[in-house]
Structure formats: structure tokens, C-alpha cells
Amino acid sequence: MRELNADQITVRLDQTLSAGTRLFGRYSWHDQRLEDPNQYPALGSAPLRTRGQNLVLSMTNTLSSALLHEVRFSYLPATV
């Protein structure tokens, strides 16, 4: 029998600093654990684990009715 356990957290921020400036941020964390049984019961099971994180930041400035400036940043760390 396979048993999958998962935990996830997501935090989001939207903030208007002024009429022409907005900030956005999001952090997500995900942890997944799976016990994978072997075809041969004497060998037991293989514990499989996956963990992921992601950070996103953005700032948008309205410079004029025809001009918009946006800066984005994303970080996805690799875990070993």
C-alpha cells in the first residue's frame, strides 16, 4: 500500500504604495512524502521525499497613461 503525505504553505502580499506603484510578493513551500512498496516484500519500501520552494517579487509603476514599468524577480532554490 502506498501512503502519500503532503504539506503546503503559500503566503501572498499585494500592496498599493501610491496611485502609480504596486508591490506583489508570494512565497510557496511544498513537502511531499511517499512510502513506495517494493515488488518483493522482503526488501521493504523506499521512502521518497520531494520538497520545493518558490519566491516571487514584483513591482509595477505607472509612469504615464501610455507607459508602464514592471520589475520581476523569481527564486527557485535547488535542494539536494
Side-chain angles (χ1 to χ4, degrees), residues 4-12 26-33 49-54:
L4 174 64
N5 293 310
D7 297 313
Q8 181 175 343
I9 296 171
T10 300
V11 179
R12 179 179 169 150
R26 183 187 70 230
Y27 174 75
S28 295
W29 176 82
H30 186 81
D31 185 46
Q32 202 167 346
R33 298 162 309 280
R49 186 170 193 153
T50 304
R51 180 173 285 173
Q53 302 179 67
N54 180 244

Side-chain angles (χ1 to χ4, degrees), residues 8-44:
Q8 181 175 343
I9 296 171
T10 300
V11 179
R12 179 179 169 150
L13 167 74
D14 286 298
Q15 184 69 42
T16 301
L17 298 179
S18 67
T21 304
R22 296 179 139 197
L23 291 177
F24 166 78
R26 183 187 70 230
Y27 174 75
S28 295
W29 176 82
H30 186 81
D31 185 46
Q32 202 167 346
R33 298 162 309 280
L34 173 67
E35 289 291 326
D36 194 17
N38 197 304
Q39 183 177 358
Y40 304 101
L43 295 176

